[in-house]
């Protein structure tokens, strides 16, 4: 297994730890795990291109990692419930669009979602939103910006 696929596999392995941290109200652990997941998400594709190790398997593995890891952002609810509840309608719309993208791609017989630059920007915005909210505090501009990026990528 090459380095980009190892990084993607690490992101998958972080999923249960992120859920544990959320349910156990371990904010610091969640921030570390979510940050590591974000770093692996950014690095895996970059390294695959740079090292010329792009593959169908790696692309599919990255999609699986994204589908499993991105929803762990909802664990931030346990640390800032007022932010989530105040914006629940927008979050539900964005989650529905994200889910619809996965369903449509699956119905088309594709296992891997397209990895466009907009998808990477949207994921980066999600990581900045969650980590920023948990460390610095809630920013409506950051929240709505991240939601627009995530929704328009779906």
């Amino acid at each position: 297994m090459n380095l980009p696929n190892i990084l993607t596999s690490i992101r998958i392995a972080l999923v249960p730890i992120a859920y544990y941290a959320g349910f156990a109200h371990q904010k610091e652990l969640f921030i570390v795990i979510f940050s590591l997941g974000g770093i692996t998400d950014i690095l895996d594709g970059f390294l695959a291109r740079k090292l010329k190790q792009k593959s169908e398997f790696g692309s599919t593995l990255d999609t699986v990692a994204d589908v499993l890891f991105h929803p762990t952002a909802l664990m931030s609810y346990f640390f800032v419930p007022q932010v989530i509840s105040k914006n629940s309608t927008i979050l539900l719309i964005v989650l529905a669009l994200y889910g619809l993208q996965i369903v449509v791609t699956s119905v088309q017989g594709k296992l891997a979602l397209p990895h466009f630059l907009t998808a990477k920007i949207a994921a980066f915005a999600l990581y900045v939103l969650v980590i920023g909210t948990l460390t610095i505090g809630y920013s409506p501009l950051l929240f709505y910006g991240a939601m627009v990026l995530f929704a328009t990528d779906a």
Side-chain angles (χ1 to χ4, degrees):
M1 189 177 292
N2 61 34
L3 180 58
N5 290 348
I6 290 169
L7 291 173
T8 305
S9 298
I10 288 170
R11 190 162 74 255
I12 293 170
L14 292 173
V15 170
I17 302 168
Y19 280 108
Y20 164 78
F23 287 122
H25 301 277
Q26 299 290 321
K27 183 178 176 180
E28 292 79 14
L29 176 61
F30 182 82
I31 292 169
V32 168
I33 296 302
F34 201 75
S35 297
L36 287 173
I39 291 166
T40 64
D41 191 13
I42 292 165
L43 285 178
D44 62 0
F46 171 77
L47 289 173
R49 287 184 296 280
K50 188 80 169 163
L51 302 172
K52 297 180 180 12
Q53 296 178 340
K54 288 173 49 174
S55 67
E56 184 66 32
F57 173 75
S59 182
T60 301
L61 189 64
D62 187 59
T63 297
V64 170
D66 289 346
V67 168
L68 293 172
F69 193 80
H70 290 166
T72 66
L74 295 173
M75 291 295 97
S76 61
Y77 170 80
F78 290 109
F79 312 114
V80 286
Q82 68 282 7
V83 172
I84 304 292
S85 60
K86 187 165 106 176
N87 299 292
S88 59
T89 302
I90 292 169
L91 284 169
L92 287 173
I93 291 169
V94 170
L95 284 171
L97 289 171
Y98 187 67
L100 183 62
Q101 178 188 31
I102 293 166
V103 169
V104 168
T105 303
S106 298
V107 168
Q108 292 174 339
K110 300 176 183 173
L111 290 175
L113 295 174
H115 294 100
F116 299 121
L117 179 60
T118 54
K120 291 299 177 183
I121 292 169
F124 181 75
L126 177 68
Y127 298 131
V128 170
L129 169 66
V130 171
I131 295 164
T133 300
L134 295 178
T135 57
I136 300 167
Y138 174 69
S139 164
L141 179 63
L142 186 59
F143 177 82
Y144 292 115
M147 292 301 105
V148 166
L149 286 169
F150 220 75
T152 56
D153 181 58

